[in-house]
Amino acid sequence: MKATLFLFAFSFCSIFVLIGALVQEAEAQAHTSTAAPPSTLTRPDSIQDSGFYDYWTTMSAQGRAGGVLLGKLALEGEPLPWQPMLVSVDCKGDVVNMTQADLRGQFVIRFVDINGVERIPADAQRQMETKYEGCQVRAALAGFRSSAVTITVRNLRDEPDLGTITLFPEERSSGTELSSTTKTAPANAMKAFEKARAEWLNQDASGAMGSLKKAVAIYPEFAGAWFQLGKLQEATDPQAARDSFSKALAADPKFVLPYEQLAWMAAQAQDWDEAEKDANQALQLDPAGTPQLWYDDAWAKFQLGKINEAAVSAAKSLAIDPRHTVLGTEQLLAVILARKADYAGAIQHLRNCLTYFPAGRDADLVKQQIAQLAPKMKASK
């Protein structure tokens, strides 16, 4: 990642230089500029080959899978999107687990511990019965309302298949992750769009780009095609990608995803005003947001000196990301709290990082940061 997390000048700024580097690295891991299609491996019966869903379906049929739940997503009257959809486990209003459906809409829920680390312990089935019985599973897609499935003892012991969760389109007064222009695209434009998706899934990025260009040439108001074209252009031609995202928004101002992508690209270019503006636009359309979007908003606000607002956004990202898919969020929140002279809070979040960071260089750096902050915390008491 090219952008650097610049820290504002305060007495202990040097303490957090390493945190800045870690947040930078985490951001690069959390968001790649071009979404990669699934890799194809040749090892028989591997999880990667068949996907987690097919793998666990096979294992369940053989009586060898425990401590997992399976399911599928479907959209009423819409094709599945190009990007994975989020699936959450909600227990009494708290999101305790989150996973992604694959591009066929299939998902697997595996046990995560209290620190958000995915594990398959020997007693995974008992752990899931204790933690997940009675909780609800639903999908999240802006512009759509999800049905919900309640996890029962039978699901946890005998029948891991939760069935199909359906997303229904809502009134388009708010934002959407699937542009309404897809439904109005003429048949030949849709044919090119569907061909592009197939090419992308087959690792043919060049072919997909050509088909998307054909789709928008036939139908210039095809916001979904403009967006996917921009995603493919990001790595090699950022300006062309911005132009494509802007054309997607011109065609459909309620389309959330181009704003999210523009916010991230602005942050990469260290254009914090633009990053905040685009993130705010996305959050106005989709107030629930995503972990990545709230993180980008927090990052931009921090850079602009809006410390209290940055803390709120970082906390929201963390609250809806129990598996820490955006790895830098808790580190960023630690930086923000330290800026507010809340050294105890900063240290606690850094300690939390150690519960899900793998042993190695990054964990060692966090330990150093905790040691450096400890005297500040004592002096402030």
Side-chain angles (χ1 to χ4, degrees):
M1 171 180 145
K2 295 179 181 178
T4 303
L5 179 58
F6 293 110
L7 305 180
F8 288 102
F10 43 94
S11 58
F12 48 92
C13 178
S14 59
I15 294 173
F16 284 102
V17 169
L18 293 177
I19 291 183
L22 284 176
V23 173
Q24 172 187 357
E25 182 176 329
E27 170 70 3
Q29 294 171 354
H31 187 129
T32 55
S33 58
T34 301
S39 60
T40 53
L41 303 177
T42 57
R43 184 161 52 86
D45 301 321
S46 73
I47 295 177
Q48 292 86 353
D49 277 341
S50 60
F52 282 123
Y53 182 90
D54 292 343
Y55 173 81
W56 284 110
T57 299
T58 300
M59 295 292 280
S60 296
Q62 297 172 1
R64 292 190 288 147
V68 298
L69 296 166
L70 314 169
K72 293 183 180 181
L73 301 184
L75 273 65
E76 185 183 64
E78 299 271 3
L80 290 172
W82 285 41
Q83 67 277 6
M85 292 179 285
L86 295 177
V87 179
S88 64
V89 179
D90 187 303
C91 298
K92 298 179 180 178
D94 292 326
V95 176
V96 298
N97 199 344
M98 184 173 286
T99 188
Q100 288 188 149
D102 64 20
L103 297 183
R104 292 177 292 173
Q106 302 169 335
F107 65 87
V108 171
I109 298 170
R110 297 187 289 174
F111 179 71
V112 296
D113 64 19
I114 193 172
N115 301 310
V117 179
E118 187 177 277
R119 302 187 189 281
I120 308 182
D123 62 344
Q125 182 171 317
R126 183 183 65 80
Q127 291 278 7
M128 291 185 77
E129 287 181 22
T130 302
K131 301 293 195 304
Y132 295 165
E133 183 187 351
C135 298
Q136 291 196 318
V137 181
R138 55 173 54 89
L141 190 69
F144 289 79
R145 171 180 54 83
S146 174
S147 64
V149 174
T150 300
I151 301 172
T152 66
V153 171
R154 181 171 180 271
N155 294 136
L156 295 164
R157 294 182 181 177
D158 304 315
E159 179 48 73
D161 192 346
L162 298 171
T164 299
I165 294 173
T166 304
L167 294 111
F168 304 91
E170 295 181 316
E171 291 296 324
R172 297 299 172 90
S173 57
S174 59
T176 177
E177 288 186 52
L178 288 181
S179 172
S180 58
T181 62
T182 301
K183 284 189 172 182
T184 58
N188 51 353
M190 270 306 299
K191 183 177 180 181
F193 186 66
E194 291 168 353
K195 183 173 184 286
R197 189 178 193 273
E199 289 165 334
W200 178 71
L201 289 173
N202 287 325
Q203 314 288 321
D204 183 5
S206 177
M209 190 175 296
S211 294
L212 288 169
K213 288 180 177 178
K214 180 179 179 180
V216 296
I218 296 169
Y219 182 45
E221 289 74 41
F222 202 157
W226 279 119
F227 174 73
Q228 298 300 341
L229 179 59
K231 287 283 290 179
L232 291 176
Q233 292 168 329
E234 267 186 65
T236 57
D237 193 344
Q239 187 53 53
R242 291 187 188 93
D243 291 343
S244 292
F245 295 142
S246 296
K247 288 175 181 177
L249 290 171
D252 185 354
K254 293 180 181 179
F255 193 15
V256 177
L257 297 183
Y259 280 123
E260 293 184 5
Q261 210 66 22
L262 286 168
W264 183 78
M265 293 185 73
Q268 294 287 285
Q270 301 173 18
D271 187 345
W272 308 116
D273 288 311
E274 187 66 24
E276 183 192 33
K277 184 190 80 171
D278 290 329
N280 285 345
Q281 289 275 15
L283 289 168
Q284 285 176 18
L285 292 170
D286 178 22
T290 64
Q292 182 68 51
L293 181 57
W294 281 114
Y295 174 82
D296 290 341
D297 186 62
W299 190 19
K301 283 180 166 58
F302 177 72
Q303 300 294 343
L304 294 170
K306 300 177 181 180
I307 304 304
N308 291 332
E309 294 177 50
V312 171
S313 293
K316 286 183 177 179
S317 175
L318 197 60
I320 61 174
D321 191 18
R323 290 176 61 179
H324 308 289
T325 57
V326 183
L327 193 59
T329 303
E330 196 147 20
Q331 295 162 294
L332 176 58
L333 186 54
V335 174
I336 294 168
L337 293 178
R339 175 66 176 83
K340 291 162 62 72
D342 181 0
Y343 306 115
I347 288 175
Q348 183 57 57
H349 282 292
L350 290 172
R351 285 175 176 160
N352 291 347
C353 291
L354 293 176
T355 65
Y356 55 86
F357 266 50
R361 179 179 62 89
D362 291 349
D364 291 342
L365 290 176
V366 171
K367 291 174 184 177
Q368 292 175 29
Q369 291 149 8
I370 293 171
Q372 290 171 317
L373 269 184
K376 296 286 183 182
M377 182 178 69
K378 291 180 181 179
S380 66
K381 291 183 177 179

